[in-house]
Amino acid sequence: MKLAEALQLRGDLQKRLEQLSSRLYNNATVQEGEAPAEDPAALLEEYEDCAGQLETLIARINRTNCETRTDSGTLTELLAKRDCLKMRVRTYQDFLSAASSLVPRRASRSEIKILSAVPVPEYRKRADALSRQLREVDGVIQGANWTTELL
């Protein structure tokens, strides 16, 4: 199985566990004399089976990420870099959105005028460079995911 397939399976298992959890909650109690719509014991058994599969799969994915090398480093290193780049890009975008919002916020000439505290075009270039880095790192990760066998 390729790493990308394992990642898709991980997502499917996580969604399945959420669904089972919700179904367990909905069938935890019943009115006296009534039966639950679904057997909670069977749902718990399926939940535990899926949780065990997910645990094994996550361990295999993590092991594969640690041992898979690209020209840019291990997949684990690239994933950490991607996470930090995402955070930085999001922060720059939010910051620049606020800095670019120069809609007049005054009703008369005597009120305080609000100005941008930074040169927006310069910071926009930085944000664009970070976004480009993020796309490049993500491309390397995705390429490796589809060519790497799960350990």
Side-chain angles (χ1 to χ4, degrees):
M1 170 186 324
K2 297 290 184 193
L3 179 55
E5 294 169 305
L7 294 170
Q8 290 173 339
L9 180 57
R10 178 185 67 185
D12 291 345
L13 284 168
Q14 289 169 329
K15 285 178 191 167
R16 183 76 179 143
L17 285 166
E18 288 174 17
Q19 292 168 348
L20 288 166
S21 178
S22 176
R23 288 166 55 196
L24 277 162
Y25 178 82
N26 291 336
N27 288 282
T29 59
V30 293
Q31 185 174 335
E32 184 178 356
E34 297 290 322
E38 295 182 85
D39 179 16
L43 289 172
L44 271 173
E45 187 176 323
E46 186 178 352
Y47 183 89
E48 288 298 331
D49 181 55
C50 285
Q53 288 178 44
L54 181 61
E55 181 180 340
T56 300
L57 187 61
I58 289 172
R60 290 180 67 194
I61 289 169
N62 288 345
R63 186 171 41 255
T64 303
N65 287 342
C66 286
E67 294 183 20
T68 301
R69 294 207 161 277
T70 69
D71 293 340
S72 306
T74 66
L75 279 178
T76 299
E77 293 166 340
L78 288 172
L79 291 167
K81 184 173 186 150
R82 181 181 68 183
D83 289 347
C84 288
L85 281 167
K86 281 181 181 179
M87 178 185 61
R88 291 169 69 194
V89 165
R90 187 173 36 255
T91 297
Y92 267 81
Q93 288 171 342
D94 292 346
F95 169 66
L96 288 169
S97 177
S100 298
S101 179
L102 299 178
V103 176
R105 296 181 201 161
R106 55 186 186 158
S108 68
R109 287 186 175 283
S110 64
E111 291 186 42
I112 297 171
K113 185 176 179 181
I114 304 298
L115 302 173
S116 179
V118 296
V120 173
E122 179 183 322
Y123 282 87
R124 179 88 52 212
K125 286 179 185 176
R126 289 185 193 180
D128 291 345
L130 287 170
S131 292
R132 184 177 52 256
Q133 271 185 282
L134 175 58
R135 285 189 304 275
E136 290 168 356
V137 168
D138 196 50
V140 172
I141 291 169
Q142 296 305 319
N145 285 348
W146 285 105
T147 57
T148 302
E149 287 293 329
L150 188 66
L151 300 177

